[in-house]
Coordinates of all heavy atoms in Angstrom, one line a residue:
M181 N 75.5 198.2 221.0 CA 75.5 197.8 219.6 C 76.9 197.3 219.2 O 77.0 196.3 218.4 CB 75.1 198.9 218.7 CG 73.7 199.1 218.4 SD 72.8 197.6 218.0 CE 73.0 197.4 216.3
S182 N 77.9 197.9 219.7 CA 79.3 197.5 219.3 C 79.6 196.1 219.8 O 80.3 195.3 219.1 CB 80.4 198.5 219.8 OG 80.4 198.6 221.2
D183 N 79.1 195.8 221.0 CA 79.5 194.4 221.5 C 78.7 193.4 220.7 O 79.3 192.3 220.3 CB 79.1 194.3 223.0 CG 80.0 194.9 224.0 OD1 81.2 195.1 223.6 OD2 79.6 195.3 225.0
L184 N 77.5 193.7 220.3 CA 76.6 192.8 219.6 C 77.3 192.6 218.1 O 77.4 191.5 217.6 CB 75.3 193.2 219.4 CG 74.3 192.4 218.5 CD1 74.3 191.0 219.1 CD2 72.9 193.1 218.5
S185 N 77.8 193.7 217.5 CA 78.4 193.7 216.2 C 79.7 192.9 216.3 O 79.9 192.1 215.4 CB 78.7 195.1 215.7 OG 77.5 195.8 215.5
L186 N 80.4 193.1 217.2 CA 81.6 192.2 217.4 C 81.3 190.8 217.6 O 82.1 189.9 217.0 CB 82.5 192.7 218.7 CG 83.7 192.0 219.0 CD1 84.8 192.2 217.9 CD2 84.4 192.6 220.3
L187 N 80.2 190.5 218.4 CA 80.0 189.1 218.6 C 79.5 188.5 217.2 O 79.9 187.3 216.9 CB 78.9 189.0 219.6 CG 78.4 187.5 219.9 CD1 79.5 186.6 220.4 CD2 77.3 187.6 221.1
R188 N 78.7 189.2 216.5 CA 78.1 188.6 215.3 C 79.3 188.5 214.3 O 79.3 187.5 213.5 CB 77.2 189.7 214.7 CG 75.8 189.6 215.2 CD 74.9 190.6 214.5 NE 73.6 190.4 215.2 CZ 72.6 191.3 214.9 NH1 72.7 192.3 214.3 NH2 71.4 191.0 215.5
A189 N 80.2 189.4 214.2 CA 81.5 189.3 213.3 C 82.3 188.0 213.7 O 82.7 187.3 212.7 CB 82.2 190.5 213.4
E190 N 82.5 187.8 215.0 CA 83.3 186.6 215.4 C 82.6 185.4 215.0 O 83.3 184.4 214.5 CB 83.6 186.7 216.9 CG 84.5 187.7 217.2 CD 84.7 187.9 218.8 OE1 84.2 187.0 219.5 OE2 85.4 188.8 219.2
V191 N 81.3 185.2 215.3 CA 80.6 184.0 214.9 C 80.6 183.9 213.4 O 80.8 182.7 212.9 CB 79.1 184.1 215.5 CG1 78.2 183.0 214.9 CG2 79.1 184.1 217.0
S192 N 80.3 184.9 212.7 CA 80.2 184.9 211.2 C 81.6 184.4 210.6 O 81.7 183.6 209.7 CB 79.9 186.2 210.6 OG 79.8 186.1 209.2
S193 N 82.7 184.9 211.2 CA 84.0 184.5 210.7 C 84.4 183.1 211.0 O 84.8 182.3 210.1 CB 85.0 185.5 211.4 OG 86.3 185.0 211.1
A194 N 84.0 182.6 212.2 CA 84.2 181.3 212.5 C 83.3 180.3 211.7 O 83.8 179.2 211.3 CB 84.0 181.1 214.0
L195 N 82.2 180.7 211.4 CA 81.3 179.9 210.6 C 81.7 179.7 209.2 O 81.8 178.7 208.6 CB 79.8 180.4 210.7 CG 78.8 179.7 209.8 CD1 78.6 178.3 210.3 CD2 77.5 180.4 209.9
G196 N 82.3 180.9 208.7 CA 82.8 180.8 207.3 C 84.1 179.9 207.3 O 84.3 179.1 206.3
E197 N 84.9 179.9 208.4 CA 86.0 179.2 208.4 C 85.7 177.7 208.4 O 86.3 176.8 207.8 CB 86.9 179.5 209.6 CG 88.2 178.9 209.7 CD 89.0 179.3 210.8 OE1 89.0 180.6 211.1 OE2 89.6 178.4 211.5
F198 N 84.7 177.4 209.3 CA 84.2 176.0 209.4 C 83.6 175.5 208.1 O 83.9 174.3 207.7 CB 83.2 176.0 210.5 CG 82.6 174.6 210.7 CD1 83.3 173.6 211.4 CD2 81.3 174.2 210.1 CE1 82.8 172.3 211.6 CE2 80.7 173.0 210.3 CZ 81.5 172.1 211.0
E199 N 82.8 176.3 207.5 CA 82.2 175.8 206.2 C 83.3 175.6 205.1 O 83.1 174.7 204.4 CB 81.2 176.9 205.7 CG 80.0 177.0 206.5 CD 79.0 178.0 206.1 OE1 79.4 179.0 205.4 OE2 77.8 177.9 206.4
R200 N 84.3 176.4 205.0 CA 85.4 176.2 204.1 C 86.1 174.9 204.3 O 86.4 174.1 203.5 CB 86.3 177.4 204.1 CG 85.8 178.6 203.3 CD 86.9 179.6 203.1 NE 87.4 180.2 204.4 CZ 86.8 181.1 205.2 NH1 85.6 181.7 204.6 NH2 87.2 181.6 206.2
A201 N 86.4 174.7 205.7 CA 87.2 173.5 206.0 C 86.3 172.2 205.9 O 86.9 171.2 205.6 CB 87.6 173.7 207.5
S202 N 85.0 172.4 206.1 CA 84.2 171.2 205.9 C 84.0 170.7 204.5 O 83.7 169.6 204.3 CB 82.9 171.4 206.6 OG 82.1 172.3 206.0
R203 N 84.2 171.6 203.6 CA 84.2 171.3 202.1 C 85.4 170.7 201.7 O 85.5 170.0 200.5 CB 83.8 172.5 201.4 CG 82.4 172.9 201.4 CD 82.0 174.0 200.4 NE 82.8 175.2 200.6 CZ 82.3 176.4 201.2 NH1 81.1 176.2 201.7 NH2 83.0 177.4 201.3
E204 N 86.5 170.7 202.4 CA 87.8 170.0 202.0 C 87.7 168.6 202.1 O 87.1 168.0 202.9 CB 89.0 170.5 203.0 CG 89.3 171.9 203.0 CD 90.3 172.2 204.0 OE1 90.7 171.3 204.8 OE2 90.7 173.4 204.1
P205 N 88.3 167.9 201.1 CA 88.4 166.5 201.2 C 89.1 166.0 202.4 O 90.3 166.5 202.7 CB 89.0 166.1 199.9 CG 89.3 167.2 199.1 CD 89.0 168.4 199.9
G206 N 88.5 165.1 203.2 CA 89.2 164.6 204.4 C 89.0 165.5 205.6 O 89.2 165.0 206.7
R207 N 88.8 166.8 205.4 CA 88.6 167.7 206.5 C 89.7 167.7 207.6 O 89.4 167.9 208.7 CB 87.2 167.4 207.2 CG 86.1 167.6 206.2 CD 84.7 167.4 207.0 NE 83.7 167.5 206.0 CZ 82.9 166.5 205.6 NH1 83.0 165.3 206.0 NH2 81.9 166.7 204.8
E208 N 90.9 167.5 207.2 CA 92.0 167.5 208.2 C 92.1 168.8 208.9 O 92.6 168.8 210.0 CB 93.4 167.2 207.4 CG 93.4 165.7 207.0 CD 92.9 165.5 205.6 OE1 92.8 166.5 204.9 OE2 92.6 164.3 205.3
S209 N 91.9 169.9 208.4 CA 92.1 171.2 208.9 C 91.2 171.4 210.2 O 91.5 172.2 211.1 CB 92.0 172.3 208.1 OG 90.7 172.4 207.5
L210 N 90.1 170.7 210.2 CA 89.2 170.8 211.3 C 89.8 170.0 212.6 O 89.2 170.2 213.8 CB 87.7 170.3 211.0 CG 86.9 171.2 210.2 CD1 85.6 170.5 209.9 CD2 86.7 172.5 210.8
S211 N 90.7 169.1 212.4 CA 91.2 168.3 213.6 C 92.5 168.8 214.0 O 93.2 168.1 214.8 CB 91.2 166.9 213.2 OG 91.6 166.7 211.9
T212 N 92.9 170.0 213.6 CA 94.2 170.5 214.1 C 94.1 171.2 215.4 O 93.0 171.7 215.8 CB 94.8 171.5 213.1 OG1 93.9 172.7 213.0 CG2 95.0 170.9 211.7
M213 N 95.2 171.4 216.1 CA 95.1 172.1 217.4 C 94.7 173.6 217.1 O 94.0 174.2 218.0 CB 96.6 172.1 218.0 CG 96.6 172.8 219.4 SD 95.5 172.0 220.6 CE 96.3 170.7 221.1
A214 N 95.2 174.2 216.1 CA 94.8 175.6 215.8 C 93.3 175.8 215.6 O 92.7 176.7 216.1 CB 95.5 176.0 214.5
S215 N 92.7 174.8 214.9 CA 91.2 174.8 214.8 C 90.5 174.6 216.1 O 89.5 175.4 216.4 CB 90.8 173.7 213.8 OG 89.4 173.8 213.5
A216 N 91.0 173.7 216.9 CA 90.4 173.5 218.2 C 90.4 174.8 219.1 O 89.5 175.2 219.8 CB 91.0 172.3 218.9
L217 N 91.6 175.4 219.0 CA 91.9 176.7 219.8 C 91.0 177.8 219.3 O 90.4 178.6 220.0 CB 93.3 177.1 219.8 CG 94.3 176.2 220.7 CD1 95.7 176.7 220.3 CD2 93.9 176.3 222.1
R218 N 90.8 177.9 218.0 CA 90.0 178.9 217.3 C 88.5 178.8 217.8 O 87.9 179.9 218.1 CB 90.1 178.7 215.8 CG 89.1 179.5 215.0 CD 89.4 181.0 214.9 NE 88.7 181.6 213.8 CZ 87.8 182.5 214.0 NH1 87.4 182.9 215.3 NH2 87.1 183.1 213.0
F219 N 88.0 177.6 217.7 CA 86.6 177.5 218.1 C 86.4 177.5 219.6 O 85.4 178.0 220.1 CB 86.0 176.2 217.5 CG 86.0 176.2 216.0 CD1 86.7 175.4 215.2 CD2 85.2 177.2 215.4 CE1 86.6 175.5 213.8 CE2 85.1 177.3 214.1 CZ 85.9 176.5 213.3
N220 N 87.4 177.1 220.4 CA 87.3 177.3 221.9 C 87.3 178.7 222.3 O 86.6 179.2 223.1 CB 88.5 176.5 222.6 CG 88.2 176.5 224.0 OD1 87.1 176.0 224.5 ND2 89.2 176.8 224.8
N221 N 88.1 179.5 221.6 CA 88.2 181.0 221.8 C 86.9 181.6 221.5 O 86.4 182.6 222.1 CB 89.4 181.6 221.1 CG 90.7 181.3 221.8 OD1 90.7 181.0 222.9 ND2 91.8 181.4 220.9
L222 N 86.3 181.2 220.4 CA 85.0 181.7 220.1 C 83.9 181.4 221.1 O 83.2 182.3 221.5 CB 84.5 181.1 218.7 CG 83.1 181.4 218.3 CD1 82.9 182.8 218.0 CD2 82.7 180.6 217.1
K223 N 84.0 180.2 221.7 CA 83.1 179.9 222.7 C 83.3 180.7 224.0 O 82.3 181.3 224.5 CB 83.3 178.4 223.2 CG 82.3 177.9 224.2 CD 82.6 176.5 224.5 CE 83.8 176.3 225.3 NZ 84.1 175.0 226.0
I224 N 84.5 181.0 224.3 CA 84.9 181.9 225.5 C 84.3 183.3 225.2 O 83.7 183.9 226.1 CB 86.3 181.8 225.8 CG1 86.7 180.4 226.3 CG2 86.7 182.8 226.8 CD1 88.1 180.1 226.4
A225 N 84.7 183.8 224.0 CA 84.3 185.2 223.6 C 82.8 185.3 223.7 O 82.3 186.4 224.2 CB 84.8 185.6 222.2
A226 N 82.1 184.4 223.1 CA 80.6 184.5 223.1 C 80.0 184.4 224.5 O 79.1 185.2 224.9 CB 80.0 183.4 222.2
S227 N 80.6 183.6 225.4 CA 80.1 183.4 226.7 C 80.3 184.8 227.5 O 79.7 185.1 228.4 CB 80.6 182.3 227.5 OG 82.0 182.4 227.8
E228 N 81.4 185.5 227.2 CA 81.7 186.7 227.8 C 81.0 187.8 227.3 O 80.6 188.8 228.0 CB 83.2 187.0 227.8 CG 84.0 186.1 228.6 CD 85.6 186.3 228.4 OE1 86.0 187.0 227.5 OE2 86.3 185.7 229.2
Q229 N 80.7 187.9 226.0 CA 80.0 189.0 225.3 C 78.6 188.9 225.4 O 77.9 190.1 225.4 CB 80.4 189.1 223.8 CG 81.9 189.6 223.6 CD 82.4 189.6 222.2 OE1 81.6 188.9 221.4 NE2 83.5 190.2 222.0
A230 N 78.0 187.8 225.4 CA 76.5 187.7 225.5 C 75.9 188.4 226.7 O 74.9 189.2 226.5 CB 76.1 186.2 225.4
P231 N 76.4 188.3 227.9 CA 75.9 189.0 229.0 C 76.0 190.4 228.9 O 75.1 191.2 229.3 CB 76.6 188.5 230.2 CG 77.1 187.1 229.8 CD 77.4 187.2 228.4
R232 N 77.1 191.0 228.3 CA 77.3 192.4 228.1 C 76.3 192.9 227.1 O 75.7 194.0 227.3 CB 78.7 192.7 227.5 CG 79.7 192.6 228.7 CD 81.0 193.3 228.2 NE 81.6 192.6 227.0 CZ 82.6 191.9 227.1 NH1 83.3 191.6 228.2 NH2 83.2 191.4 225.9
V233 N 76.1 192.2 226.1 CA 74.9 192.5 225.1 C 73.6 192.6 225.8 O 72.8 193.6 225.6 CB 74.9 191.6 223.9 CG1 73.7 191.9 223.0 CG2 76.2 191.7 223.1
C234 N 73.3 191.7 226.6 CA 72.0 191.6 227.4 C 71.9 192.9 228.3 O 70.9 193.4 228.5 CB 71.8 190.3 228.1 SG 71.5 188.9 227.0
Q235 N 73.0 193.1 229.1 CA 73.0 194.2 230.0 C 72.7 195.5 229.3 O 72.0 196.4 229.7 CB 74.3 194.2 230.7 CG 74.5 193.1 231.8 CD 73.8 193.4 233.1 OE1 73.1 194.4 233.2 NE2 73.8 192.3 233.9
G236 N 73.4 195.7 228.1 CA 73.2 196.8 227.3 C 71.8 197.0 226.8 O 71.1 198.0 226.9
A237 N 71.2 195.9 226.4 CA 69.7 195.9 226.0 C 68.9 196.3 227.3 O 67.9 197.0 227.0 CB 69.3 194.5 225.5
L238 N 69.1 195.8 228.4 CA 68.3 196.0 229.6 C 68.5 197.6 229.9 O 67.5 198.2 230.3 CB 68.8 195.2 230.8 CG 68.3 193.8 230.8 CD1 69.0 193.0 231.8 CD2 66.8 193.7 230.8
G239 N 69.6 198.1 229.7 CA 69.8 199.5 229.9 C 69.0 200.4 229.0 O 68.6 201.5 229.4
V240 N 68.7 199.9 227.8 CA 67.9 200.7 226.8 C 66.4 200.5 227.1 O 65.6 201.5 227.1 CB 68.2 200.2 225.4 CG1 67.3 200.8 224.4 CG2 69.6 200.6 225.1
C241 N 66.0 199.2 227.4 CA 64.5 199.0 227.4 C 64.0 199.0 228.9 O 62.8 198.9 229.1 CB 64.1 197.7 226.8 SG 64.8 196.3 227.3
G242 N 64.9 199.0 229.9 CA 64.5 199.2 231.3 C 63.8 197.9 231.8 O 64.1 196.7 231.4
I243 N 62.8 198.1 232.7 CA 62.1 197.0 233.3 C 61.4 196.0 232.4 O 61.2 194.9 232.6 CB 61.2 197.6 234.4 CG1 60.7 196.5 235.4 CG2 60.0 198.3 233.8 CD1 61.8 196.0 236.3
M244 N 61.0 196.6 231.2 CA 60.3 195.8 230.2 C 61.2 194.7 229.8 O 60.7 193.6 229.3 CB 59.7 196.6 229.1 CG 58.7 197.7 229.5 SD 57.3 197.0 230.2 CE 56.4 196.3 228.8
G245 N 62.4 194.8 229.9 CA 63.4 193.7 229.5 C 63.4 192.5 230.4 O 63.7 191.4 230.0
F246 N 62.9 192.7 231.7 CA 62.9 191.6 232.6 C 61.6 190.8 232.5 O 61.5 189.7 233.0 CB 63.1 192.2 234.0 CG 64.5 192.5 234.3 CD1 64.9 193.8 234.5 CD2 65.4 191.5 234.7 CE1 66.2 194.1 234.7 CE2 66.7 191.7 234.9 CZ 67.1 193.0 235.0
K247 N 60.6 191.5 232.0 CA 59.2 190.8 231.9 C 59.3 189.8 230.7 O 59.8 190.2 229.7 CB 58.1 191.9 231.6 CG 57.9 192.7 232.9 CD 56.7 193.7 232.7 CE 55.4 192.8 232.7 NZ 54.2 193.6 232.6
N248 N 58.9 188.5 230.9 CA 58.9 187.6 229.9 C 57.8 187.7 228.8 O 57.9 187.0 227.9 CB 58.9 186.1 230.6 CG 60.2 185.9 231.3 OD1 61.3 186.4 230.9 ND2 60.1 185.0 232.4
D249 N 56.8 188.5 229.1 CA 55.7 188.5 228.1 C 55.7 189.7 227.3 O 54.7 190.2 226.8 CB 54.4 188.4 229.0 CG 54.2 189.5 229.9 OD1 55.1 190.2 230.2 OD2 53.1 189.6 230.5
T250 N 56.8 190.4 227.2 CA 56.9 191.5 226.2 C 57.9 191.2 225.1 O 58.7 190.3 225.2 CB 57.5 192.8 227.1 OG1 58.8 192.5 227.4 CG2 56.7 193.1 228.3
P251 N 57.8 192.0 224.0 CA 58.7 191.8 222.9 C 60.1 192.3 223.3 O 61.1 192.1 222.5 CB 58.1 192.7 221.7 CG 57.2 193.5 222.4 CD 56.7 193.0 223.7
F252 N 60.3 193.0 224.4 CA 61.6 193.5 224.7 C 62.3 192.6 225.7 O 63.4 192.9 226.3 CB 61.5 194.9 225.4 CG 60.6 195.8 224.6 CD1 59.4 196.1 225.0 CD2 61.1 196.3 223.4 CE1 58.6 197.0 224.2 CE2 60.4 197.2 222.5 CZ 59.1 197.5 223.0
S253 N 61.8 191.4 226.0 CA 62.3 190.5 227.0 C 63.8 190.0 226.7 O 64.0 189.5 225.7 CB 61.4 189.3 227.2 OG 61.9 188.4 228.1
V254 N 64.6 190.3 227.6 CA 66.1 189.8 227.5 C 66.5 189.2 228.8 O 67.6 188.6 228.9 CB 67.0 190.8 227.1 CG1 66.8 191.3 225.7 CG2 67.0 192.1 228.1
G255 N 65.6 189.2 229.8 CA 65.9 188.6 231.1 C 66.3 187.2 231.1 O 67.2 186.7 231.7
R256 N 65.6 186.5 230.3 CA 65.9 185.0 230.2 C 67.1 184.7 229.5 O 68.0 183.8 229.9 CB 64.7 184.3 229.5 CG 64.9 182.8 229.3 CD 63.8 182.1 228.7 NE 62.6 182.4 229.4 CZ 61.4 182.1 229.1 NH1 61.2 181.5 227.9 NH2 60.3 182.4 229.7
H257 N 67.5 185.5 228.5 CA 68.8 185.4 227.8 C 69.9 185.6 228.8 O 70.9 185.0 228.8 CB 68.9 186.3 226.7 CG 67.8 186.0 225.6 ND1 66.9 185.1 225.7 CD2 67.5 186.7 224.5 CE1 66.1 185.2 224.6 NE2 66.5 186.2 223.9
L258 N 69.7 186.6 229.7 CA 70.8 187.0 230.6 C 70.9 186.0 231.6 O 72.1 185.6 232.0 CB 70.4 188.3 231.3 CG 71.4 189.0 232.3 CD1 72.8 189.2 231.7 CD2 70.8 190.1 233.0
R259 N 69.9 185.4 232.1 CA 69.9 184.4 233.2 C 70.5 183.1 232.7 O 71.3 182.4 233.3 CB 68.5 184.1 233.8 CG 68.2 185.3 234.7 CD 66.9 184.9 235.4 NE 65.7 184.6 234.5 CZ 64.8 185.5 234.1 NH1 65.0 186.7 234.4 NH2 63.9 185.1 233.3
T260 N 70.2 182.7 231.4 CA 70.7 181.4 231.0 C 72.2 181.6 230.5 O 72.9 180.5 230.5 CB 69.9 180.9 229.7 OG1 69.9 181.8 228.7 CG2 68.5 180.7 230.1
R261 N 72.7 182.7 230.1 CA 74.0 182.8 229.7 C 75.0 183.3 230.7 O 76.1 183.1 230.6 CB 74.1 183.7 228.5 CG 73.6 183.2 227.2 CD 73.6 184.2 226.1 NE 73.2 183.7 224.9 CZ 72.2 183.0 224.5 NH1 71.2 182.8 225.5 NH2 71.8 182.6 223.3
C262 N 74.4 183.7 231.9 CA 75.3 184.3 232.9 C 74.7 183.8 234.3 O 73.8 184.4 234.8 CB 75.2 185.8 233.0 SG 76.4 186.6 234.1
P263 N 75.2 182.7 234.8 CA 74.7 182.1 236.0 C 74.8 183.0 237.3 O 74.0 182.8 238.2 CB 75.6 180.9 236.2 CG 76.3 180.7 235.0 CD 76.3 181.9 234.2
R264 N 75.6 184.0 237.2 CA 75.8 184.9 238.3 C 74.7 185.8 238.3 O 74.4 186.5 239.5 CB 77.1 185.7 238.2 CG 78.3 184.9 238.3 CD 79.7 185.7 238.0 NE 79.5 186.5 236.8 CZ 80.0 186.1 235.7 NH1 80.6 184.9 235.5 NH2 80.0 186.9 234.5
A265 N 73.8 186.1 237.3 CA 72.8 187.0 237.4 C 71.5 186.5 238.0 O 71.3 185.3 238.0 CB 72.4 187.5 236.0

C-alpha cells in the first residue's frame, strides 16, 4: 500500500503542476529544463514502482492474481510494465 500511495502522490503532484503551468499564458514553464527533468523523473519513478505494486498485490491475492479472468488479475499489469517478468 505504501508503494501505491507514493506512486499516486507523485502522479497527483506532477499532474497538479502540469495543470497550473498549462493555464499560464504562453506556457513557458512547461518548456524549461527543470520541467522536462521533473516529468522524466516521474516516468522513471512510475516505471520502477509499478512492478513493486503489482508484486505486492500478487503476494496478497496469490495465484488468482495471475489468472486473467478474475477480478484480482494483476499478471497482465506486471508483464506489460516489467519486461523481465
